[in-house]
Amino acid sequence: MDDKKVIAVIGATGAQGGGLCRAILKDAGGGYGVRALTRNAGSEKAKELKKLGAEVVEVDIDDVESLKSAFRGAHGAFCVTFFWDHFSPEKELAEAKNMADAAKHAGLRHVIWSTLEDTRKWVPLDDHRMPTLMGKYKVPHFDAKGEANRLFSERGLPTTFLLTSFYWENLIHFGMGPKRGEDGRLYITLPMGDKKLPGIASGDIGKCASAIFRKGSEFIGKTVGIAGGHLTGGQMASALTRALGEEVRYNAVSPEVYRGFGFPGAEDLGNMFQFKRDFESAFCGARSLEFARSLNPSMQTFDAWLEGNRDRIPVEKGARRASGE
């Protein structure tokens, strides 16, 4: 790896970071190497990355000195936080500050910060269209990332701000897949009305990030957004019907109903979907499908992703009904 530009990847065993590690490692002639940063270098995912050729380093993102050591000698870094580990926007901000401070200390030449919109720019705290959460946020897991953008800008870091989209893997891992109703039919439930939801296969985020690093300074100082598709709830249900061989219907509930579902993070997600619904044009517009595909020509559509993942989507057993019945 001595003759390659090293990219330090935070969250290397996670969805975004793991995808980036694999994308770089598969591009043997691309001139980049991977320093996979993880909390547990002994995990199976970390061992797999090491076998693929990554340098695996344990890091504590709550400790800026640990990050400084992990970034030392690297060309660039991919920085990401994971709100759902702790449900704390303040912790995300502290982690982002550590990343920015460590990147500045290491003199990195290119940083990609995986971010999201600060929804308070569209829906101020005194706007009662959606409730204020945790005292000072509308969508905590969005707002903290968006607020953290300034931590990279104020330090003069050569940063690309990468806006991501709804992971289609949420249908597998996050409990958002089809559920069987009392009538025996399958439903997906979203508070999106007839508006489109930008989505993406999580592995494609890493491929896009790899392309951004390869393009050098072209996207430094810029905000870029990516998605593999812009789909309504009805379109997602139709695609799931085709993939699963059983009718899936779209259950369009109100954000108020969704916020009241009671699972951890329901209020945050209810506000998130309402933001995406109410500001569809701006949210989809920031995530150009054509631009994303220019970065990653192999970008999966939702149908293609379903083709490869249909057996991983948990579906409750029940009486099967023919589509169109």
Side-chain angles (χ1 to χ4, degrees):
M1 196 182 291
D2 291 345
D3 59 344
K4 292 185 176 182
K5 297 176 180 178
V6 173
I7 303 298
V9 182
I10 291 176
T13 59
Q16 294 188 39
L20 173 57
C21 289
R22 289 187 291 274
I24 294 174
L25 293 169
K26 287 180 180 178
D27 185 15
Y32 288 88
V34 170
R35 183 176 296 161
L37 308 184
T38 177
R39 289 173 295 186
N40 180 10
S43 71
E44 290 305 313
K45 289 183 178 179
K47 290 177 181 177
E48 180 185 346
L49 289 174
K50 188 171 184 178
K51 288 179 182 177
L52 292 173
E55 173 193 3
V56 177
V57 175
E58 283 196 0
V59 67
D60 178 1
I61 61 175
D62 296 315
D63 178 0
V64 69
E65 295 303 321
S66 176
L67 279 167
K68 286 179 181 178
S69 176
F71 284 174
R72 188 175 298 122
H75 170 81
F78 180 81
C79 296
V80 64
T81 55
F82 190 61
F83 175 86
W84 306 109
D85 264 355
H86 45 69
F87 293 83
S88 170
E90 284 75 22
K91 187 174 178 64
E92 277 200 303
L93 282 163
E95 291 170 349
K97 181 180 183 299
N98 286 345
M99 294 175 200
D101 285 343
K104 183 69 174 179
H105 183 268
L108 298 186
R109 304 293 297 276
H110 195 172
V111 175
I112 295 179
W113 166 235
S114 179
T115 188
L116 290 164
E117 286 86 347
D118 185 338
T119 65
R120 296 166 295 185
K121 295 178 180 179
W122 287 266
V123 189
L125 294 181
D126 60 358
D127 187 324
H128 299 298
R129 282 176 291 175
M130 63 175 68
T132 294
L133 305 178
M134 302 182 183
K136 56 182 179 180
Y137 302 100
K138 288 298 185 180
V139 183
H141 82 281
F142 267 52
D143 298 347
K145 290 183 177 68
E147 184 177 333
N149 291 357
R150 63 175 176 79
L151 299 173
F152 295 86
S153 298
E154 289 172 356
R155 286 158 179 74
L157 289 167
T159 306
T160 301
F161 301 91
L162 180 63
L163 296 171
T164 57
S165 293
F166 176 86
Y167 297 175
W168 290 324
E169 283 79 5
N170 288 331
L171 300 175
I172 301 171
H173 304 299
F174 210 64
M176 292 186 179
K179 299 288 189 298
R180 203 168 293 281
E182 293 181 1
D183 60 359
R185 298 182 185 274
L186 290 174
Y187 294 87
I188 57 167
T189 299
L190 296 169
M192 289 290 296
D194 62 355
K195 302 302 183 181
K196 292 181 178 179
L197 174 67
I200 196 167
S202 61
D204 281 331
I205 297 173
K207 292 179 181 179
C208 289
S210 177
I212 290 170
F213 279 124
R214 290 198 310 272
K215 289 180 179 292
S217 62
E218 183 174 345
F219 296 114
I220 286 177
K222 296 181 180 179
T223 299
V224 298
I226 54 173
H230 297 164
L231 299 169
T232 65
Q235 289 171 329
M236 292 178 70
S238 295
L240 283 160
T241 296
R242 293 190 295 272
L244 300 177
E246 179 179 358
E247 182 184 21
V248 178
R249 294 185 173 186
Y250 172 39
N251 180 29
V253 300
S254 70
E256 290 78 12
V257 167
Y258 199 93
R259 285 191 284 266
F261 281 159
F263 61 83
E267 289 185 310
D268 188 324
L269 291 175
N271 280 10
M272 176 197 76
F273 284 121
Q274 183 176 343
F275 171 72
K276 293 179 180 182
R277 182 198 71 179
D278 293 352
F279 299 94
E280 177 200 37
S281 179
F283 197 79
C284 288
R287 292 158 173 80
S288 163
L289 302 182
E290 294 74 17
F291 170 74
R293 194 163 292 279
S294 74
L295 289 177
N296 173 22
S298 65
M299 179 75 73
Q300 296 175 78
T301 63
F302 187 47
D303 282 310
W305 180 84
L306 284 171
E307 180 68 24
N309 290 276
R310 72 180 88 194
D311 293 336
R312 300 175 64 207
I313 298 174
V315 176
E316 299 169 6
K317 293 182 179 179
R320 301 177 70 89
R321 298 174 180 268
S323 293
E325 179 179 322

